[in-house]
Amino acid sequence: MKQLSAFLSAVALCVMTAAAAQAQGIKMPAPSPTQTIRQDFALSSVEVTYSRPLAKGRVIMGDLVPYGKLWRMGANAATRIKFGEDVKLNGTPVPAGEYVLYGIPSPEGWELVLNKGLKNWGIDGYKKEEDVARFKTETQELPFPIQSFMILFENVRPDAMTMMISWDRTLIPVEITADIDGKVMASIDAAMKTEKKPYFSAAVYYYETNRDVKTALDYITKATEQPENAKAFWVYHWKAKIQAKSGDKAGAKATAEKSIAMAKEANNADYVALNEKLIASL
């Protein structure tokens, strides 16, 4: 009875202290500060808003984050993730939109859940029928502890990147992919029918996606002939790269030397170095 009385007194004191601090306009640091991270990706972006609890010497996995139970993936309000276009997470299709991200931990791996419950506070209000996607993901053991729960994006490529979720010594990698090739090619084809043709962008895309090098060379040559690119050393550098890929080493060297002269005139040491490396690789 004495313990219960002491507990209730402590709770009452905390409530009064908080109320007094609020009344006095005291601003306190959040114990689990919120972070919003936005990554440009594919043809749009991915944005995550979550709270970052601190380990504080506690046992995290299997204790603070219990195995086999739904977890909010952070602290406070449910973690939100927003996709600007249709994507796949570990191969599972997810339509464009905003969702709540949950996790079900286990020592062998995690099951991640995307849910429509945007008004949920943590897992309060969760309804399984509002799940949009569920998928499994492996975990990795980190060689050092992460003190604050963390979500970030790594290995960002044009159509794929890895979302890295980590806390303590556990890393949960999630591969996010987007099928953008058809959209990009359709936009290139449509733009080529207009008055202002995107020769440079099209040539770079053809090169990067290993398409027909002859078409890429045709596009980049036409780009160098556009008046606005008369001194565009970066355009000539790309032409040299495409010539090299097509097997025309002599032409690539001549174009790279021209790009070097333009870059020196513009005081751009970076492109001087890039062209010199290209020439050395021929």
Side-chain angles (χ1 to χ4, degrees):
M1 204 64 169
K2 288 182 179 179
Q3 289 177 334
L4 178 60
S5 177
F7 172 73
L8 293 175
S9 297
V11 170
L13 180 61
C14 288
V15 170
M16 288 188 291
T17 302
Q22 215 171 20
Q24 293 171 23
I26 299 174
K27 188 173 181 180
M28 307 288 285
S32 299
T34 301
Q35 180 180 60
T36 296
I37 179 170
R38 180 182 180 276
Q39 176 63 58
D40 287 346
F41 171 66
L43 302 179
S44 58
S45 65
V46 178
E47 182 174 296
V48 177
T49 299
Y50 69 108
S51 294
R52 305 186 63 190
L54 187 65
K56 297 180 180 178
R58 298 174 290 183
V59 177
I60 304 301
M61 299 303 162
D63 189 357
L64 186 63
V65 178
Y67 290 137
K69 294 183 179 179
L70 195 71
W71 187 57
R72 69 181 69 195
M73 300 299 282
N76 304 324
T79 293
R80 292 186 174 206
I81 186 165
K82 186 176 182 180
F83 302 102
E85 62 196 290
D86 295 351
V87 295
K88 289 182 180 179
L89 272 62
N90 281 10
T92 300
V94 177
E98 187 172 14
Y99 308 101
V100 171
L101 176 64
Y102 292 120
I104 303 175
S106 79
E108 296 76 31
W110 284 48
E111 183 175 27
L112 298 187
V113 180
L114 291 178
N115 184 273
K116 294 180 181 178
L118 296 176
K119 294 183 179 180
N120 296 353
W121 180 262
I123 61 173
D124 292 344
Y126 168 77
K127 297 176 184 177
K128 190 172 182 178
E129 58 268 26
E130 293 184 336
D131 285 355
V132 174
R134 279 178 175 253
F135 59 93
K136 298 284 182 71
T137 186
E138 296 180 352
T139 58
Q140 299 173 17
E141 185 176 353
L142 294 169
F144 51 84
I146 301 296
Q147 295 301 320
S148 294
F149 177 72
M150 178 168 60
I151 300 176
L152 55 82
F153 299 105
E154 160 61 4
N155 194 17
V156 182
R157 291 146 281 161
D159 59 356
M161 66 178 176
T162 307
M163 180 169 65
M164 312 285 266
I165 304 169
S166 57
W167 200 14
D168 195 29
R169 290 183 179 271
T170 299
L171 172 65
I172 310 156
V174 180
E175 191 72 0
I176 302 176
T177 56
D179 184 9
I180 62 169
D181 187 67
K183 296 177 183 177
V184 174
M185 288 303 297
S187 66
I188 288 174
D189 291 342
M192 286 299 177
K193 296 175 184 177
T194 66
E195 186 176 335
K196 191 170 179 62
K197 295 175 173 55
Y199 289 125
F200 176 66
S201 299
V204 171
Y205 191 75
Y206 266 66
Y207 176 91
E208 294 283 13
T209 54
N210 294 314
R211 280 185 157 77
D212 179 36
V213 71
K214 291 183 179 180
T215 303
L217 185 56
D218 177 54
Y219 284 161
I220 198 66
T221 299
K222 289 178 179 176
T224 61
E225 294 169 354
Q226 292 177 313
E228 62 269 26
N229 292 331
K231 294 187 177 182
F233 48 84
W234 59 93
V235 175
Y236 281 85
H237 173 70
W238 272 97
K239 182 177 180 180
K241 289 176 68 173
I242 294 170
Q243 285 174 305
K245 191 172 185 178
S246 71
D248 182 9
K249 294 184 179 182
K253 182 180 179 182
T255 303
E257 289 173 343
K258 189 170 185 178
S259 179
I260 287 174
M262 291 177 176
K264 285 182 176 178
E265 187 179 347
N267 293 317
N268 191 299
D270 290 340
Y271 268 87
V272 171
L274 285 172
N275 281 294
E276 288 174 343
K277 287 180 181 178
L278 176 58
I279 292 171
S281 71
L282 296 174

